[in-house]
Amino acid sequence: MHHLKGIFIRVLVLISFFFTSYATAAENQFKHIDGGKDLVKVKRAAFSETYINPDVDFSFYSKIYVSEAQFDYREIKPPKTGNGTHVSASPTREYPMSQDDRKRFEETVRTAFRTEVSKGKYFEIVDVMGVDEHTMILRAVVADIYSKVPPESPERSRLYLSSVGGATLGLEFRDRTTSEVLARVAEHGLIGDTSVQGKGGSRPVNRETVNADVERWASSAARKLRQALDSALKD
């Protein structure tokens, strides 16, 4: 529990760090996981860590500008190899991601997230921020990203895992005109087949299944966000 709380604090700090151009440094110093001085925590929300400005009428907004997402990876030392280059797989071990794997992960998350969020009924996703006062700015950080899939090698045998990794999603909403923080959410999730997670099961894993798992995770989080937004923004 303390580890997860530390992750959430780190996500909120990352949100602050990446978006300092939209607020003063004083406003962006999060010392506690409370979402900032003007936000209050919401119980029984769609995301486990949800903070909103209680004075904001979200039905005022009808457009959302999605800024470029930021990605931050867990620092993991490369595994030690034996006489050759083969790295044995372990369901509890974490592995650093190659630049190609990171690029593939980020492209998959961006595409899946935007595709799902664009299905909203009560808001429009806009490509240009514009001057419409009814616009919210959505900024996302995907942090503490790690992989449980070892590097590919000719010696690697068939791989079985219940999850292929994990990440923490952090989202921040700001008013387009005033840059006022409207809401922040954060949630950690495992990436993999939810039907076997937590049940001691596993399944075969390869590059195609990993990509599908990442897309499924991103789409699920985006769908949850879209449903929450539709509920908050409808008349």
Side-chain angles (χ1 to χ4, degrees):
M1 182 63 68
H2 290 296
H3 174 64
L4 287 179
K5 183 174 182 180
I7 292 175
F8 292 139
I9 293 175
R10 175 170 169 76
V11 169
L12 293 180
V13 171
L14 282 167
I15 291 176
S16 168
F17 173 78
F18 286 125
F19 309 132
T20 51
S21 61
Y22 292 89
T24 66
E27 291 174 331
N28 279 319
Q29 298 303 313
F30 303 142
K31 296 182 179 180
H32 305 285
I33 184 166
D34 58 6
K37 62 180 182 180
D38 296 325
L39 305 184
V40 297
K41 185 168 184 177
V42 179
K43 297 180 179 179
R44 298 179 181 177
F47 292 87
S48 60
E49 298 293 314
T50 299
Y51 302 87
I52 66 169
N53 187 326
D55 297 325
V56 173
D57 178 8
F58 285 91
S59 65
F60 173 80
Y61 300 94
S62 59
K63 297 180 181 179
I64 298 177
Y65 172 78
V66 183
S67 64
E68 189 72 9
Q70 304 293 330
F71 295 83
D72 185 74
Y73 294 82
R74 183 180 292 184
E75 294 184 7
I76 302 172
K77 293 182 179 180
K80 295 181 180 181
T81 59
N83 297 329
T85 58
H86 175 58
V87 177
S88 60
S90 168
T92 60
R93 183 177 295 174
E94 298 171 3
Y95 304 89
M97 297 173 64
S98 68
Q99 289 302 316
D100 286 343
D101 287 339
R102 291 186 178 192
K103 182 179 180 180
R104 188 179 303 109
F105 177 89
E106 293 173 14
E107 290 177 347
T108 300
V109 170
R110 286 192 179 102
T111 300
F113 203 88
R114 188 175 183 88
T115 298
E116 186 61 43
V117 172
S118 296
K119 299 176 182 178
K121 298 178 180 179
Y122 298 100
F123 60 91
E124 175 188 1
I125 298 296
V126 295
D127 295 324
V128 179
M129 193 179 303
V131 296
D132 191 337
E133 64 178 359
H134 300 283
T135 301
M136 285 194 297
I137 301 171
L138 168 59
R139 305 182 179 92
V141 173
V142 185
D144 196 47
I145 305 165
Y146 65 92
S147 172
K148 289 189 175 183
V149 181
E152 291 187 356
S153 67
E155 297 87 359
R156 196 177 80 182
S157 59
R158 175 172 286 191
L159 183 63
Y160 289 83
L161 293 170
S162 60
S163 69
V164 298
T168 299
L169 175 66
L171 303 170
E172 178 184 79
F173 293 88
R174 285 183 179 265
D175 182 273
R176 184 261 172 264
T177 304
T178 66
S179 292
E180 178 184 17
V181 178
L182 308 176
R184 291 190 180 110
V185 304
E187 184 167 86
H188 179 77
L190 295 177
I191 301 174
D193 188 347
T194 56
S195 66
V196 299
Q197 290 174 11
K199 300 179 180 180
S202 61
R203 63 189 177 89
V205 172
N206 54 47
R207 176 172 293 183
E208 287 71 28
T209 64
V210 170
N211 290 341
D213 286 340
V214 172
E215 181 178 5
R216 189 181 303 110
W217 171 78
S219 295
S220 176
R223 186 178 308 112
K224 186 159 56 173
L225 174 64
R226 188 231 326 144
Q227 292 170 346
L229 286 171
D230 272 336
S231 177
L233 301 183
K234 68 181 179 180
D235 296 331

